[in-house]
Amino acid sequence: MAKKTVSLPEKTFVPASYWRRLFALVVDIVLLDLFVYMQFSFMFPKTLSFASFKDLAPDQMNMMMMGAMILTFFTLLYFVYQEKTYGQTLGQRIAQISIQAPKEATWRHHLINNFFLIPFFPFLLLWIIEPIYMFVKKERLLETLSTLRTVQEEKL
Amino acid sequence: MKLWKFLLFFFLFALATSLFVRISTDGFKEGNVAVISIKGVITNERVLFETNAVSDDILLLIDQAEEDPQIKAVVFEIESPGGYVVPSEEIANKIKTMKKPTVAVIRNVGASGAYWIASATDYVIASKVSITGSIGVQSSYLDFAGLMRRYNVTYNRLTGGEYKDMGSPFKELSEDERVKLAKKINMIHQYFANEVAANRNISSEKMQEIATGEFYLGVEALELGLIDQIGNMDTAKKYLEEKLGKSVSYQYYNKYKPSLKELFTARLFSSSPVSNLEIKVQ
């Protein structure tokens, strides 16, 4: 009987570690800060404290809100487009993690996966909820809702 | 589209958007009236865990406000019981040299050294029940000589100069020393009262009646000419809008932020209260 050789896969995908995710996020935010956020710094005050926040005039508050919305748009565009098109952002590529999406995943799923980047209530609560959820379930709440997974390669 | 092409397009799109917004709007308009807070005991010593009004920091903020062409006036928001003589005088004298209009808004307390500072401004506003005035000087201290005698603790007096340990809490104050100290305190008090009289255009005879160290509520201070109007920060805003002829928005000048080195080397708490001769306008 002829011998059959079975080739096993050399690597597999496992849930990305917390540190790789954090590193990727930091790299992406630094890039965005250098090339996008700083260009819109004229829309925000040079210094702002909680004491002075309540004393902002309506036109000052409107300018800040408009600035925040523009920055949110660019941030979401950066993350959602890269994750949908390339499976990973530049920061995730450097950290060697990627987004695994089912075939039926649409732009909406990728948008939901990045809701934590929206700096308005109630999305700000995700900064508290996500780490706690991840500590318990080993994946982010938004990943559960969007059916996407952040994974890293692991050699067998 | 390749990744690098996308990133290039993305950043160029952001640049174009920022240029468009810059052309279409004026951007964030910083306030045109600086608000400098004077909160806590007025001192020249920065202590890490205490909220003091450090004169060096306030002088820096005043310079900053004077140099900023966007700032048209300065409001001093005062919440202080007073403090030490020299830092209070330094801030008051600095305010008198300012070219921009100045307003003091006394909140809960603006007494003694803090009132000295307020009096140096062009216009003083306080609430009806703000505590202000207290134009006096004190250098009271605890005398432990009797307690030490009771427990057979001896104070070994070794001085070069007869009055070197004058005011030490470990020995009784002699009559001679009391007279000398009282004279110095009176000199400081007279100087303080004269400064306030000059700042507020009050005659020296009337100031002698007012400057007894008594504190006054806002309504009393208004009658005595120590303040100009009853009100609050909104009142100051309206006053400045009339004076400057334009709308006013506040820009809060932040408190001094210590460097990393200062965080590790700064004094954590203020000096012991049992110290030799602390003269205060508080």
Side-chain angles (χ1 to χ4, degrees):
Chain A
M1 198 188 286
K3 267 190 186 172
K4 277 188 183 174
T5 54
V6 176
S7 58
L8 292 168
E10 289 175 1
K11 48 193 172 184
T12 185
F13 291 100
V14 297
S17 72
Y18 173 80
W19 298 111
R20 281 187 192 240
R21 290 167 187 256
L22 187 62
F23 176 73
L25 182 64
V26 167
V27 169
D28 284 322
I29 294 296
V30 166
L31 272 168
L32 280 168
D33 189 45
L34 286 172
F35 294 103
V36 178
Y37 300 162
M38 284 179 78
Q39 293 187 53
F40 293 93
S41 60
F42 68 94
M43 298 182 81
F44 299 93
K46 292 187 191 70
T47 55
L48 188 67
S49 65
F50 282 115
S52 56
F53 198 84
K54 62 177 175 60
D55 286 300
L56 286 176
D59 59 329
Q60 291 175 319
M61 188 66 90
N62 290 343
M63 183 57 62
M64 273 180 61
M65 289 298 290
M66 190 164 75
M69 285 165 67
I70 291 173
L71 292 184
T72 304
F73 166 75
F74 278 104
T75 307
L76 287 173
L77 178 64
Y78 177 91
F79 280 88
V80 170
Y81 184 87
Q82 286 187 81
E83 286 180 4
K84 177 77 171 82
T85 311
Y86 310 111
Q88 55 189 176
T89 63
L90 183 57
Q92 288 165 355
R93 187 176 284 218
I94 294 168
Q96 296 178 344
I97 60 176
S98 57
I99 304 296
Q100 226 176 37
K103 278 190 184 156
E104 60 274 16
T106 62
W107 290 100
R108 187 169 54 90
H109 292 92
H110 287 277
L111 181 63
I112 290 170
N113 193 40
N114 288 291
F115 268 174
F116 71 98
L117 294 164
I118 300 173
F120 300 105
F121 185 84
F123 302 100
L124 283 172
L125 295 174
L126 289 166
W127 283 87
I128 301 168
I129 296 168
E130 289 267 69
I132 298 170
Y133 190 89
M134 194 167 165
F135 182 73
V136 174
K137 295 276 192 177
K138 308 297 178 203
E139 67 174 16
R140 293 192 297 121
L141 170 64
L142 291 175
E143 285 174 356
T144 308
L145 295 173
S146 63
T147 70
L148 304 178
R149 296 290 178 270
T150 307
V151 296
Q152 65 187 60
E153 277 184 17
E154 202 169 79
K155 285 185 185 169
L156 286 174
Chain B
M1 191 193 289
K2 286 190 176 170
L3 177 63
W4 69 267
K5 275 187 186 172
F6 162 73
L7 288 173
L8 182 65
F9 169 77
F10 176 78
F11 294 133
L12 285 173
F13 178 43
L15 176 64
T17 308
S18 78
L19 287 171
F20 175 74
V21 174
R22 222 182 260 267
I23 292 164
S24 319
T25 68
D26 294 329
F28 186 89
K29 280 188 206 156
E30 300 276 0
N32 57 358
V33 170
V35 177
I36 296 174
S37 292
I38 297 176
K39 290 189 178 169
V41 172
I42 302 165
T43 177
N44 53 7
E45 185 184 33
R46 194 174 296 119
V47 178
L48 206 53
F49 295 119
E50 290 182 10
T51 308
N52 291 337
V54 180
S55 60
D56 287 344
D57 297 345
I58 292 165
L59 295 176
L60 282 171
L61 292 175
I62 291 173
D63 282 336
Q64 206 179 319
E66 278 276 83
E67 283 163 11
D68 189 343
Q70 197 147 342
I71 296 296
K72 305 300 177 198
V74 180
V75 170
F76 293 90
E77 189 184 16
I78 296 175
E79 182 68 72
S80 166
Y84 293 90
V85 179
V86 171
S88 303
E89 185 205 17
E90 283 173 347
I91 297 169
N93 285 346
K94 183 73 174 182
I95 291 172
K96 288 199 287 191
T97 66
M98 289 175 73
K99 295 182 179 58
K100 294 179 182 174
T102 52
V103 176
V105 177
I106 298 172
R107 306 294 295 271
N108 196 32
V109 180
S112 204
Y115 177 71
W116 188 347
I117 291 168
S119 74
T121 62
D122 300 325
Y123 202 75
V124 183
I125 297 169
S127 159
K128 278 185 192 170
V129 289
S130 295
I131 293 173
T132 185
S134 186
I135 303 168
V137 179
Q138 63 135 340
S139 186
S140 311
Y141 64 94
L142 294 175
D143 181 342
F144 292 100
L147 184 68
M148 284 163 57
R149 224 181 0 259
R150 194 171 164 187
Y151 286 95
N152 275 334
V153 176
T154 310
Y155 172 71
N156 289 313
R157 188 166 184 265
L158 297 163
T159 63
E162 192 184 340
Y163 301 107
K164 188 65 183 174
D165 59 352
M166 180 168 59
S168 167
F170 306 120
K171 73 172 191 58
E172 281 168 13
L173 192 67
S174 69
E175 200 48 45
D176 193 27
E177 287 172 339
R178 186 181 292 275
V179 167
K180 281 192 180 305
L181 277 177
K183 186 181 171 190
K184 292 174 200 314
I185 286 170
N186 284 337
M187 281 172 71
I188 297 170
H189 179 220
Q190 198 55 52
Y191 176 63
F192 180 11
N194 289 344
E195 284 289 299
V196 171
N199 291 343
R200 297 295 305 167
N201 264 330
I202 296 173
S203 67
S204 48
E205 292 80 25
K206 191 175 175 190
M207 185 50 69
Q208 292 299 321
E209 293 171 16
I210 297 171
T212 59
E214 181 185 349
F215 69 83
Y216 302 104
L217 298 181
V219 283
E220 295 173 313
L222 185 66
E223 282 173 26
L224 293 168
L226 294 177
I227 68 169
D228 296 297
Q229 191 176 354
I230 298 291
N232 51 26
M233 291 293 282
D234 287 336
T235 318
K237 198 180 253 193
K238 285 189 189 117
Y239 166 76
L240 285 170
E241 279 174 351
E242 273 179 37
K243 190 173 177 68
L244 298 172
K246 56 174 83 173
S247 69
V248 155
S249 62
Y250 287 143
Q251 186 179 337
Y252 282 76
Y253 273 44
N254 291 332
K255 274 191 79 125
Y256 179 85
K257 289 189 179 103
S259 66
L260 206 58
K261 181 191 166 192
E262 281 174 319
L263 279 175
F264 285 102
T265 58
R267 186 192 284 276
L268 295 180
F269 302 102
S270 57
S271 345
S272 158
V274 182
S275 58
N276 235 18
L277 277 182
E278 286 193 334
I279 299 177
K280 289 185 176 181
V281 278
Q282 187 177 342

